Every structure is written in C-alpha cells, then in structure tokens.
Amino acid sequence: MIDFLQTLIEYHIEEAASMILFGIGFSLLLLNRNLIKKIMGLNIMDTAVYLFLTAKGYVYGRMVPIMNSGITDPNAYTNPIPDGLVLTGIVVSVSVSAILLSLTIRLYDRYHTLDLDKIITEWRKEEDN
Amino acid sequence: MSRIRDNYENSRAAKFEAWLRGDYDPMSEGMEISVPKTDGSDDEIDPRAGLVISDALYDRHTNKALKRSGYVYRVLSVVLCLVMISVLLWMVQFLPKFGQPDNPANNEVSARYIEKGVEETGAVNFVTGMILDYRAFDTFGESCVLFIATICVQILLRIDKDDMTPATFRRRKESETDRLLEPKNDIILQRVSVVLVPFLFIFGIYIILNGHLSPGGGFSGGAVIGAGLILYLCSFGYKQTERFFTIRTFRIVSLVALITYCLAKSYSFYTGANHLESHIPLGTPGNILSSGLILVLNICVGSVVACTMYAFYTLFRKGDF
C-alpha cells in the first residue's frame, strides 16, 4: 500500500488527480438530485479528462510547442496533439452544458422544481392518470 | 451444387428483397399494434376510467418499496463510485511515468508535425498549424457544433408569441420587465466597462490575429470578445447593444464565417488531394500575414465563437435576442 501511494505521488500525481476529479464528478452525477449540480458534475468529469490528456503530452524540460529560434527538432518540444484534442473537448463540453442548461430551464418551467426525484414522481403521476 | 431453399419465403434473403421492394416493414414483426376503435366504441368503458391512484403511492415516506429502492440506489452508487475511483487509481500506477520523453504518446505523429509543421503550414505555433491545417476538418466540425448548439438553445428557449400557457406567459413577462428595467444605470459597472470593454475587444482581436504566432487562436480570442460583449450588455442594456449587435448580425456573421471556412478549406483539401498547386502563399513564418489560410480560418472561428458566447448569454437571460 505504501509502495502504491509512493509511486502514485512520485510519478503519477497528475493522472491520480485527474482520476479523483473524475470520481468526484461521477459521484455528483449519481448522488445529487439537483439537475444544475448534475451538470456541474459532468463539467468536472470533462475537466478531469482534459487534465489527463494534457498530462499525457507533457515532457519534462521541453518547450511549449511554438517554434523558438528556428529549432525544428521534435525532442525540443512537448507533444502538440493532446492540446488540440483538449481544445475540441472544451468546445464540445461548452455546447453540451448549454443545451443541458436550456433543457433544465424547460423542465423547471413545467414542474417548478429542479429535484430530479420530484420531477420523475410528477411525470409518473401524469403517465398513470 | 446450388441448394434450393425450400422455405425461401421465410429466409432472410427473401425478407431483404421484400424490404428492398418496399412491401415489408422489419419493425412490424414482434410489434403489437392496437388500432383505436372509432366506430361504436363509445359504449366501451375504459377499465382505468374510475381508477384513482392515491398520492401516497408516490410518497417516499409512506411507500416502503420506493423508500427501499432509493436507499439501495444511494448505497449502490456510493459503492460504484468508490470502486471506480480505486480501480482507476490502481491502473494509474501501471501507466508510463509522467513527463518521460519515451512515453508512447510522443510517437512519430507529433514528431512529424513538429519537423515539417512550419515548412508546410507556415505557422510558428505548431498547435495552430495542426488544428487549422492538418486537422482543419475537425475544427470545422467544432465551429458547426457551436453554431448548432446555439440553434438548439434558441429552439428550446424561444418564447412563442401566441402561446398562452402559464409557463410561457410568465417567461414572456419576465423578459419584458427585464427589458423595461434596462439599463439599470449601475454607475460603477458603467465606468469600469467604459475602460475595460475596448481593451477586451482589442485583446481578443490581438489573440485571434496572433493565433499562428503565439498561444491563442480563434477559440480563446472569440471567447474574450464574447466576454466583452456580455460586459457591455450588462452595463448599458439592450438598447445600446442593439445598435451594433442584433440577431441579424448574429445570423450574417455566423453564416459568412462558416461558409468562408468551408470554401477555403474545401479548396485547400481539393488541391492537396489532387496534387495541384494551391497558389496560396505561405509567407515568412513569424510575420502576421503568413501561414496561408490559417489567419483567415482563425478569424472565421473567432467570430463564430464570439457570436455564440453572446447568443448563449442573451438566450439564457431573456429567451430571445
């Protein structure tokens, strides 16, 4: 167990942090009944994925991937591909949260609550009657 | 040695042929369709007509089964979350070490982008060269995703003028009062935004125009300009903002930007795929006017993102532009 924690802190602190963030977001998504907080949980999960991706591209002691004084040696720069992927991810997560929030507004208009359990109960009542 | 199927009628090939000809519906099998009776069904009594389901059935405190299922759900989700976090953390220790040059992610693809990037795209920023030249199609998809998200939010939040349901009525009233109370004449906000908004616009334009030279690009610069627009709207109200930004502006800017992006990139993909010369000068790497189409594409993406940010804000605030 001590070994496990030591490797985690010494070599994998970024990945471990991203996994814990992912877990926090997932538990928010499952356990919280408020729809807005569920969307927040989804956003935290997105952030964890970005952290993991950027951590995969980083190399110690290298420059950011912008050409500096004419050097085009691949061993001088960090990996540019995860950065582009994270950019895509950010755009998609912005769009998804906007659509989810507008759906939440519509649900609130109809049921006057943000509690998902209450919304499901109301909906079942409407279905049954 | 062909074997004649004796039950060809029921075989898959026959069904496929029938479906192709249009006289077989694969969904109709196994689906029970009850046609509602229209003639003389008035005397038939609906078996659920007199049934009244009491509210206690849905109440968590009186319905034991519901209470138990909620409890079980909560315990199971806690267990699931803990198991997932521990499994993920356990797997993390077997990953290659963080920040080492020989990690599998640093393979020949990124090496190729870095070695030939400046020469082929003309962009000093390798990330911009990658996302707006080698993988420009991906970025076009992103801009379209943003645009479609705006359209979806508009569809969901639109206030119908003829709709008289209470919820729509209430929201229409809210948006009207919001409109009447604007501008709120917050003197601090107005003074601060007089100073800040021009700088925000200039900073956003700087980020967009230097996207191929320094960190930044269309997405971040567009977000900065959108933030400036929102700040201006917050402090001066709709009347002032609508002098230069209405739904018409949003439509025109988004449409022109997306079509320019599509045409420019189609041209360069077409010439590239057919080994034709593209006649677009790459310029000297490091200058503002360099790197071919990347500058144009950055401006397109930036304007789409700025419009989208502003549109999200206004749509969420009053359901319309």
Side-chain angles (χ1 to χ4, degrees), chain A residues 1-128:
Chain A
M1 193 66 194
I2 300 292
D3 280 358
F4 167 65
L5 283 178
Q6 205 173 357
T7 33
L8 223 57
I9 290 169
E10 217 165 300
Y11 301 118
H12 301 295
I13 188 79
E14 286 82 5
E15 287 102 328
S18 80
M19 292 308 159
I20 291 171
L21 264 181
F22 192 85
I24 290 170
F26 193 66
S27 46
L28 264 180
L29 205 61
L30 282 186
L31 287 170
N32 219 311
R33 280 191 246 152
N34 191 323
L35 280 171
I36 303 273
K37 287 178 185 168
K38 272 184 199 289
I39 298 171
M40 283 182 188
L42 199 70
N43 272 312
I44 293 176
M45 281 166 80
D46 286 337
T47 319
V49 175
Y50 309 149
L51 179 59
F52 186 76
L53 279 176
T54 38
K56 289 288 102 185
Y58 184 74
V59 181
Y60 281 125
R62 292 195 182 177
M63 293 183 283
V64 287
I66 294 171
M67 193 174 72
N68 187 5
S69 54
I71 304 168
T72 53
D73 181 18
N75 290 325
Y77 301 101
T78 55
N79 195 342
I81 297 175
D83 299 0
L85 296 180
V86 168
L87 196 65
T88 314
I90 288 172
V91 171
V92 172
S93 88
V94 164
S95 315
V96 167
S97 5
I99 292 180
L100 286 178
L101 284 170
S102 52
L103 282 171
T104 310
I105 289 176
R106 292 308 296 261
L107 272 176
Y108 185 82
D109 275 348
R110 194 181 161 111
Y111 295 107
H112 299 289
T113 175
L114 285 174
D115 191 327
L116 190 62
D117 283 357
K118 282 183 189 160
I119 290 175
I120 290 174
T121 312
E122 289 286 318
W123 174 70
R124 279 208 190 121
K125 273 185 200 170
E126 281 173 16
E127 285 282 295
D128 289 349

Side-chain angles (χ1 to χ4, degrees), chain B residues 12-317:
Chain B
R12 281 199 182 160
K15 280 178 185 168
F16 178 72
E17 198 191 338
W19 173 75
L20 210 61
R21 274 189 275 116
D23 44 347
Y24 169 69
D25 183 10
M27 300 298 279
S28 69
E29 238 175 61
M31 192 162 70
E32 209 172 288
I33 301 171
S34 58
V35 182
K37 286 176 193 165
T38 48
D39 47 281
S41 64
D42 294 339
D43 50 335
E44 197 174 311
I45 300 157
D46 186 9
R48 302 183 50 168
L51 194 68
V52 175
I53 300 168
S54 77
D55 282 358
L57 187 65
Y58 305 102
D59 194 6
R60 202 165 277 280
H61 298 292
T62 46
N63 190 339
K64 283 275 159 50
L66 205 65
K67 197 175 179 181
R68 207 179 307 127
S69 80
Y71 186 69
V72 168
Y73 169 78
R74 211 145 299 151
V75 169
L76 275 183
S77 37
V78 168
V79 170
L80 178 68
C81 289
L82 287 179
V83 166
M84 203 188 67
I85 294 180
S86 42
V87 167
L88 286 173
L89 280 179
W90 187 256
M91 292 314 293
V92 158
Q93 67 166 330
F94 299 110
L95 286 173
K97 284 179 190 169
F98 173 77
Q100 301 303 315
D102 51 349
N103 278 355
N106 305 322
N107 53 11
E108 67 275 4
V109 182
S110 63
R112 171 69 168 65
Y113 285 155
I114 289 172
E115 269 171 4
K116 302 269 182 176
V118 176
E119 188 186 315
E120 286 175 353
T121 68
V124 173
N125 186 345
F126 295 118
V127 180
T128 310
M130 189 186 84
I131 63 167
L132 285 176
D133 201 302
Y134 294 113
R135 301 181 173 207
F137 211 61
D138 179 21
T139 313
F140 182 56
E142 283 171 50
S143 320
C144 288
V145 162
L146 272 177
F147 182 67
I148 292 167
T150 327
I151 303 291
C152 287
V153 171
Q154 203 172 358
I155 291 169
L156 283 169
L157 295 184
R158 206 172 67 99
I159 301 173
D160 194 355
K161 292 275 185 295
D162 304 325
D163 193 359
M164 291 312 277
T165 53
T168 327
F169 192 72
R170 188 172 54 78
R171 276 186 48 218
R172 193 160 59 218
K173 215 171 167 187
E174 268 174 15
S175 79
E176 273 166 10
T177 46
D178 189 292
R179 208 147 227 239
L180 284 177
L181 291 175
E182 288 287 344
K184 294 206 173 67
N185 286 324
D186 189 332
I187 197 80
I188 300 173
L189 195 59
Q190 286 186 355
R191 290 283 163 256
V192 169
S193 63
V194 159
V195 179
L196 262 184
V197 167
F199 279 109
L200 276 176
F201 283 164
I202 292 173
F203 183 53
I205 291 167
Y206 167 80
I207 292 177
I208 291 176
L209 292 185
N210 279 276
H212 51 298
L213 305 177
S214 60
F219 287 107
S220 32
V224 171
I225 292 181
L229 277 171
I230 293 171
L231 179 61
Y232 189 80
L233 173 64
C234 278
S235 46
F236 292 107
Y238 286 102
K239 224 170 210 171
Q240 293 282 320
T241 320
E242 276 171 2
R243 287 192 309 187
F244 63 92
F245 201 100
T246 55
I247 188 161
R248 228 177 106 75
T249 331
F250 169 76
R251 276 188 200 141
I252 292 170
V253 170
S254 300
L255 188 75
V256 167
L258 285 176
I259 285 180
T260 315
Y261 194 119
C262 178
L263 289 180
K265 223 47 224 177
S266 305
Y267 173 73
S268 76
F269 276 136
Y270 179 77
T271 50
N274 292 310
H275 303 288
L276 302 169
E277 204 172 334
S278 75
H279 298 293
I280 294 167
L282 287 184
T284 325
N287 290 356
I288 284 272
L289 289 176
S290 69
S291 71
L293 285 171
I294 288 180
L295 185 61
V296 182
L297 300 188
N298 253 334
I299 293 170
C300 293
V301 172
S303 39
V304 169
V305 172
C307 287
T308 307
M309 291 293 149
Y310 180 76
F312 278 157
Y313 181 79
T314 45
L315 286 174
F316 277 116
R317 180 157 158 184

